[in-house]
Amino acid sequence: ELKVEQNPLFLSMQEGKNYTIYCNYSTTSDRLYWYRQDPGKSLESLFVLLSNGAVKQEGRLMASLDTKARLSTLHITAAVHDLSATYFCAVGYMDSNYQLIWGAGTKLIIKP
Amino acid sequence: ETGVTQTPRHLVMGMTNKKSLKCEQHLGHNAMYWYKQSAKKPLELMFVYNFKEQTENNSVPSRFSPECPNSSHLFLHLHTLQPEDSALYLCASSPGGGLSSYEQYFGPGTRLTVT
């Protein structure tokens, strides 16, 4: 069974600090996705990582992928309050159809 | 706005009611999805439609009945639901087709409460 585990599930941090969210998955996959969800809002796609060693950055967020370790990280640099949200990783998986298998999400609260 | 709309945004229904959730995508995509999002649990994929054909049904109880009349519209018909069905129901779409086309775009969701 394919499992996707995010760590931590809840994170409270101060503005200006750095932190990393981890996403481990249990089988091979061709791509990994990071999404953001604000309370009461839709899921917004942040990054799609396609290959081993892939690194993508957008503002204060940087995502990386290590397919050998089956690990992706989402690094937050000098956090600001606007980054408070729940972050999900999802792993692409081909069964009878292509599916996304989701982590439980990391709720991030950034305090001024 | 992601180009995927859902109505209603909030729904309260009794266990004997029948209601429907609607999803519409304006992105020209060919695949559409229903997910259930419950508190502190991963997103649960319920149904997948590719080019209007249902290709996935993840052991969803029959009290949930999907309908996809065309590539732009997706419905979820609800009847005789249980309180544990209360959740946020999310619709998503993706381009479909080749391997580069699996990024999913989500609607805002319908918050369903079953009383």
Side-chain angles (χ1 to χ4, degrees):
Chain A
E1 181 188 358
L2 176 59
K3 292 184 179 179
V4 179
E5 294 184 348
Q6 283 184 241
N7 179 32
L9 298 182
F10 179 80
L11 177 59
S12 178
M13 56 193 291
Q14 296 293 126
E15 278 192 324
K17 300 290 187 182
N18 303 334
Y19 210 82
T20 300
I21 300 170
Y22 298 89
C23 177
N24 289 92
Y25 54 98
S26 60
T27 191
T28 56
S29 173
D30 66 336
R31 61 196 61 201
L32 187 135
Y33 304 78
W34 283 99
Y35 283 81
R36 167 181 173 153
Q37 186 178 34
D38 292 295
K41 298 281 186 69
S42 181
L43 274 78
E44 173 191 357
S45 178
L46 294 175
F47 302 108
V48 182
L49 302 170
L50 300 178
S51 60
N52 188 43
V55 177
K56 290 194 174 181
Q57 184 165 2
E58 181 73 33
R60 301 175 187 273
L61 300 178
M62 183 175 71
S64 65
L65 178 62
D66 181 343
T67 58
K68 294 181 181 178
R70 296 177 186 168
L71 170 69
S72 179
T73 60
L74 181 66
H75 187 73
I76 304 147
T77 301
V80 294
H81 179 67
D82 287 351
L83 290 179
S84 297
T86 299
Y87 293 86
F88 293 89
C89 66
V91 171
Y93 175 66
M94 178 62 79
D95 190 358
S96 54
N97 294 284
Y98 192 86
Q99 297 187 31
L100 296 187
I101 310 298
W102 294 81
T106 297
K107 185 172 183 178
L108 175 63
I109 296 177
I110 300 170
K111 300 177 181 179
Chain B
E1 292 294 328
T2 62
V4 181
T5 59
Q6 289 185 243
T7 55
R9 295 292 307 276
H10 300 273
L11 178 62
V12 179
M13 59 185 289
M15 289 190 285
T16 59
N17 291 159
K18 290 184 179 181
K19 297 286 184 183
S20 295
L21 309 185
K22 178 183 177 183
C23 176
E24 183 173 1
Q25 57 95 359
H26 309 275
L27 301 170
H29 290 169
N30 294 305
M32 296 188 77
Y33 311 78
W34 279 118
Y35 285 92
K36 177 182 179 182
Q37 186 178 31
S38 304
K40 300 181 180 179
K41 293 177 69 175
L43 268 72
E44 300 173 53
L45 179 64
M46 301 175 71
F47 302 105
V48 181
Y49 279 82
N50 270 308
F51 296 91
K52 302 188 295 179
E53 297 294 323
Q54 184 176 319
T55 57
E56 198 75 32
N57 176 342
N58 278 357
S59 303
V60 179
S62 60
R63 57 187 183 269
F64 295 92
S65 174
E67 179 189 0
C68 188
N70 55 61
S71 296
S72 299
H73 294 86
L74 184 65
F75 294 90
L76 187 62
H77 304 298
L78 316 170
H79 65 97
T80 58
L81 294 190
Q82 304 298 311
E84 60 264 29
D85 297 323
S86 299
L88 181 67
Y89 288 85
L90 291 164
C91 173
S93 71
S94 68
L99 289 176
S100 65
S101 303
Y102 293 113
E103 185 173 359
Q104 295 181 11
Y105 296 77
F106 284 81
T110 296
R111 173 67 63 186
L112 174 66
T113 303
V114 181
T115 60

